Amino acid sequence: MNFIALRMLMSDRAKYFGLIFAFAFSTFLLQNQVSIFCGIMKRTGSQILDVTDADVWVMDRYTEYFEQTKPLKETDLTRVRSVSGVDYAVRLFKGNPTARTLAGKFASTFTLGVDDSTLVGAPRQMLLGRWESLREANSIIMDRAGYALLFPGEPMELGRVLELNDHKVTLVGISDCSAPFVSFPVIHARYSEAINFQGRERNQLSFVLARARPGMSPEALARQIERETGLKARTTAEFAWDCVVYYMKNTGIPVNFGITIAVALIVGLAVSGQTFYMFTVENLRQFGALKAIGVTNGRLVTMVLLQALVAGAIGYAIGTGMAAAFFEATASNLATRGIVLMWQAVAGVGVLMAVVVAAVSFLSVRKVLVLEPASVFR
């Protein structure tokens, strides 16, 4: 009977391929959009996650996400260091000065000023040079995407000179840091030099980076810093999630992606459901004949479910392959680096498509169950 069910499914090639296309297109669109959305949201906290030397970020109590900073006082650094459980606490400056090359090309940047003595917060993934070279005077490290933006078409090489706020600096390293939410070059410099790259304010300290002593969890340290200083303290993971939540609540990104995902789901349910239902109606004579020779309703239901499952599985496999090919083709593009096909998206869409297959099968099963053989041949 299973063989007969599959022959019935594949006998009308137009509807068979149309059904598979509907499942494949929905699968591709869902996996593609969900993975891109998650990749973009992860970028909102990429600079936070790249700092592996610190457990806790300390900031003004009203700070909501990474781009929103109110400078702290130098005394706040001392207060954080005095909290029991803090192994060390260092400065971090964040600004957006404009970098200009000697050829005249310029771009706004994400500039991070790391602690002069420890270099906590400096990039650890390097393509050229060493992060320890930041100890040299008037030196910076730039990410590879920023280098390609400011020096388009030129090979990567160290020693290039840039100008930031009338200060000439030398490129001593090219990093492979994560892509930021906005495609600005990411520059790392020492704190004492980075604060001069941008217009001076009375206070320059953007964040305090702290590490918990052995035996104390970052979460416990963050809560203790908040109690003793009145400042806001978040672990690396908490602060990264704060950024995601902020962009989810205050931008139109979730709505735009949500509409696309809803369209994909409607296509998968409506088009595939209608196509499979029409297929079942056109094969009522065959189902009636099988019922007339004694095939039970349970067996007919199994045949319908098998047909829907086979079409759904083939469509899902093709759609997943299309999504994987898309992300593989864009993996080497600097603009889309870090955005990959997530296994959670593949698994979640698989469950969702199983629900769609069940819904599609339900519509057709009802038609088969109420079928009377005599009415088919009347």
Side-chain angles (χ1 to χ4, degrees):
M1 286 300 173
N2 291 341
F3 176 76
I4 295 176
L6 295 178
R7 287 298 300 266
M8 290 170 61
L9 175 65
M10 300 175 186
S11 60
D12 190 335
R13 294 298 178 88
K15 287 187 175 59
Y16 174 61
F17 289 123
L19 188 60
I20 289 178
F21 173 79
F23 282 122
F25 179 75
S26 298
T27 298
F28 167 73
L29 206 54
L30 286 168
Q31 292 181 358
N32 179 278
Q33 292 299 292
V34 169
S35 296
I36 292 176
F37 174 74
C38 292
I40 290 176
M41 287 295 101
K42 186 178 179 180
R43 284 187 173 191
T44 62
S46 58
Q47 274 67 61
I48 300 170
L49 298 173
D50 278 349
V51 177
T52 58
D53 306 314
D55 301 320
V56 177
W57 292 66
V58 184
M59 64 209 80
D60 183 83
R61 61 186 302 179
Y62 294 109
T63 300
E64 297 180 276
Y65 70 118
F66 182 69
E67 298 302 321
Q68 182 189 64
T69 58
K70 181 179 181 297
L72 302 174
K73 301 175 183 177
E74 286 295 324
T75 54
D76 290 328
L77 175 61
T78 305
R79 294 168 60 201
V80 173
R81 285 173 172 171
S82 66
V83 174
S84 58
V86 173
D87 190 15
Y88 61 77
V90 297
R91 301 173 178 86
L92 182 72
F93 169 81
K94 185 191 75 67
N96 300 104
T98 298
R100 185 187 301 272
T101 68
L102 296 181
K105 189 170 179 60
F106 63 91
S108 296
T109 67
F110 284 121
T111 297
L112 300 176
V114 302
D115 184 64
D116 287 53
S117 59
T118 63
L119 298 184
V120 168
R124 295 298 186 257
Q125 300 294 328
M126 300 294 296
L127 297 176
L128 283 179
R130 301 166 57 249
W131 59 268
E132 293 91 342
S133 298
L134 280 179
R135 300 187 189 278
E136 301 174 11
N138 302 316
S139 60
I140 64 167
I141 292 175
M142 181 183 295
D143 71 319
R144 58 170 176 160
Y147 185 94
L149 178 65
L150 288 171
F151 304 99
E154 299 185 29
M156 290 193 298
E157 61 180 38
L158 304 181
R160 293 186 180 271
V161 177
L162 295 96
E163 183 181 296
L164 293 101
N165 192 25
D166 295 330
H167 289 76
K168 288 190 175 181
V169 295
T170 303
L171 185 66
V172 297
I174 299 177
S175 66
D176 189 26
C177 61
S178 302
F181 181 73
V182 181
S183 299
F184 289 170
V186 179
I187 290 178
H188 290 81
R190 284 185 294 135
Y191 182 92
S192 61
E193 295 182 347
I195 59 177
N196 295 317
F197 296 160
Q198 192 160 300
R200 292 296 298 252
E201 297 181 14
R202 187 167 63 90
N203 295 316
Q204 299 285 339
L205 182 58
S206 303
F207 299 99
V208 173
L209 302 181
R211 166 79 75 173
R213 287 179 179 171
M216 189 172 198
S217 68
E219 292 79 9
L221 177 60
R223 304 295 84 81
Q224 187 163 335
I225 290 174
E226 289 181 333
R227 285 194 302 269
E228 296 189 21
T229 66
L231 300 172
K232 185 175 183 178
R234 307 290 283 169
T235 66
T236 297
E238 290 172 345
F239 196 23
W241 271 109
D242 287 345
C243 296
V244 173
V245 171
Y246 180 88
Y247 280 92
M248 291 276 287
K249 291 171 59 177
N250 296 282
T251 68
I253 296 175
V255 175
N256 294 331
F257 277 91
I259 291 173
T260 305
I261 292 171
V263 169
L265 190 57
I266 291 172
V267 168
L269 185 58
V271 176
S272 59
Q274 183 182 20
T275 304
F276 192 68
Y277 182 77
M278 291 172 58
F279 161 80
T280 303
V281 170
E282 293 181 0
N283 284 278
L284 285 179
R285 290 179 62 86
Q286 287 85 343
F287 285 116
L290 292 173
K291 212 168 188 180
I293 62 175
V295 177
T296 63
N297 281 337
R299 190 60 180 171
L300 292 177
V301 169
T302 302
M303 293 174 65
V304 172
L305 291 175
L306 177 64
Q307 291 169 343
L309 182 62
V310 168
I314 295 175
Y316 174 77
I318 294 174
T320 301
M322 291 167 58
F326 171 84
F327 286 106
E328 182 65 26
T330 59
S332 58
N333 192 333
L334 284 178
T336 56
R337 68 192 188 280
I339 299 179
V340 298
L341 179 61
M342 302 179 63
W343 69 264
Q344 295 93 335
V346 174
V349 171
V351 173
L352 192 58
M353 295 310 294
V355 174
V356 171
V357 167
V360 167
S361 303
F362 176 75
L363 297 175
S364 299
V365 162
R366 289 182 58 192
K367 194 73 176 177
V368 173
L369 289 179
V370 299
L371 175 67
E372 291 293 337
S375 64
V376 174
F377 297 103
R378 185 176 297 136

